[in-house]
Amino acid sequence: LRFENGTLQVFARGTDRKFYVSTMTSLNEWSDWSSPFGEITFTSPPVSIVSSAGQCYLFGVSAITHTVWYSVSSPISSGVLEFSEFANLGGDATGTPSVLLDAEAQLHVFIRGINRALWHIAESTVGGQKHWGEWECLGGVLASSPKVPSTLNGANLAEVYARAADKALWHRGQIAKHDSESIDWGSWTSLGGVLASGPSLALGDDGMTDVFARATDKAIYFKSQFQDENGEVHFTQWHTLGGMFSSTPTVVVRADGLFDVFARGVDKAIWHSHQVEVNQTRTFSAWHSLGGHTRKFTC
């Protein structure tokens, strides 16, 4: 997690299932791992996001209630990052939550519910105070936790992706109604594929989403959004990056808008491919091993 002033924080779930944090100091040194979050234990890894006020929101699924809990830090501008006690946000989650900050600085949380459908809850501002709304079911039959880009698409609307029960990638996005200023959710749309993992997302410098996933042949595949001459958004066909992998890929967007992709190979090492641009054409490099002997988790 990176704050606007460059401060970095790393969160992890320990073997005791508690959340831990380490912070990079002004001297570019990492603090010792600490657990300032009390005795609550989790079944999911920590999910963090920075709000428009410079606060860190930390989410996880409780090992006791199986609901989503969250903690909020003091603003980074205060000079002291202290976290509140975890509060129960509700929802019956069967996987890791996905979190998004919208154009109005409101947070959205997405989970897969016990009915395997997509569920969503959002913040709203009433009288200058932020409040959480009610959980709403957005349907679908999901085989993985939902994923959302860390920011909104080029039209400032939210999009959700997930692997469904048919192993294909499915997509549902917000749509703006032409006859009013209200926002609604469009229908679920299949983007095809036969996936062996949930998706990983990256939002490019053009505001379009690239989706990466491991297929049943163990290779990494991706497809990209693009806009036609009429301004309508479509997706390319699936393209393979090859390789043999045993985990969902993780994608990082660099400062120049290009992507780095990491995944655990069948040899248990971490492998890396990076995007390059030549003559305004973007391609991916061959896979390169970073070594290691890792457990079966996403990078």
Side-chain angles (χ1 to χ4, degrees):
L1 182 74
R2 182 189 295 272
F3 292 90
E4 287 187 356
N5 67 353
T7 298
L8 297 176
Q9 282 195 313
V10 176
F11 299 91
R13 186 179 65 139
T15 55
D16 56 3
R17 300 199 292 181
K18 297 178 184 179
F19 284 170
Y20 289 81
V21 60
S22 178
T23 303
M24 179 180 277
T25 68
S26 58
L27 300 176
N28 291 330
E29 298 176 349
W30 289 96
S31 67
D32 293 333
W33 287 98
S34 63
S35 182
F37 309 111
E39 297 301 314
I40 186 171
T41 56
F42 297 90
T43 59
S44 74
V47 177
S48 58
I49 192 169
V50 177
S51 73
S52 59
Q55 297 170 288
C56 172
Y57 278 72
L58 186 65
F59 296 84
V61 177
S62 166
I64 304 300
T65 64
H66 303 292
T67 55
V68 179
W69 289 63
Y70 75 101
S71 174
V72 186
S73 77
S74 53
I76 187 66
S77 58
S78 68
V80 180
L81 283 172
E82 296 179 340
F83 283 86
S84 67
E85 293 186 4
F86 268 92
N88 190 350
L89 192 56
D92 293 308
T94 57
T96 304
S98 207
V99 186
L100 171 73
L101 185 70
D102 70 17
E104 297 178 349
Q106 313 288 10
L107 287 170
H108 297 253
V109 181
F110 300 86
I111 60 171
R112 185 180 73 152
I114 56 176
N115 61 351
R116 303 177 71 188
L118 175 68
W119 288 78
H120 164 250
I121 192 172
E123 282 185 322
S124 61
T125 301
V126 179
Q129 298 293 322
K130 289 189 175 184
H131 303 274
W132 289 99
E134 300 293 331
W135 286 97
E136 62 172 333
C137 182
L138 298 180
V141 184
L142 310 186
S144 72
S145 297
K147 291 294 180 67
V148 295
S150 57
T151 56
L152 298 170
N153 63 21
N156 280 335
L157 299 173
E159 297 181 303
V160 188
Y161 299 81
R163 181 175 65 126
D166 62 357
K167 296 185 179 180
L169 177 71
W170 285 73
H171 164 261
R172 189 172 189 183
Q174 286 182 328
I175 54 175
K177 293 184 178 180
H178 295 291
D179 57 347
S180 68
E181 297 181 355
S182 62
I183 300 296
D184 202 355
W185 287 94
S187 302
W188 282 103
T189 303
S190 175
L191 300 179
V194 185
L195 308 184
S197 76
S200 184
L201 309 178
L203 199 67
D205 49 12
D206 57 359
M208 296 294 175
T209 303
D210 285 62
V211 187
F212 297 78
R214 182 173 65 107
T216 51
D217 63 357
K218 299 183 180 179
I220 301 299
Y221 286 75
F222 76 98
K223 64 166 39 191
S224 306
Q225 279 183 329
F226 68 95
Q227 207 169 37
D228 65 19
E229 58 186 13
N230 297 318
E232 296 182 359
V233 176
H234 307 276
F235 284 87
T236 64
Q237 299 297 314
W238 287 102
H239 300 284
T240 183
L241 296 180
M244 296 281 287
F245 298 96
S246 56
S247 74
T248 300
T250 295
V251 188
V252 178
V253 183
R254 300 201 301 264
D256 58 6
L258 300 178
F259 301 151
D260 285 283
V261 185
F262 302 85
R264 177 185 185 262
V266 293
D267 60 354
K268 300 183 181 180
I270 299 300
W271 289 72
H272 167 242
S273 174
H274 65 274
Q275 203 175 34
V276 294
E277 185 171 16
V278 179
N279 296 327
Q280 297 184 333
T281 299
R282 295 184 176 185
T283 58
F284 283 90
S285 70
W287 289 100
H288 172 70
S289 177
L290 302 181
H293 192 273
T294 61
R295 294 191 176 187
K296 192 175 180 181
F297 298 113
T298 54
C299 299

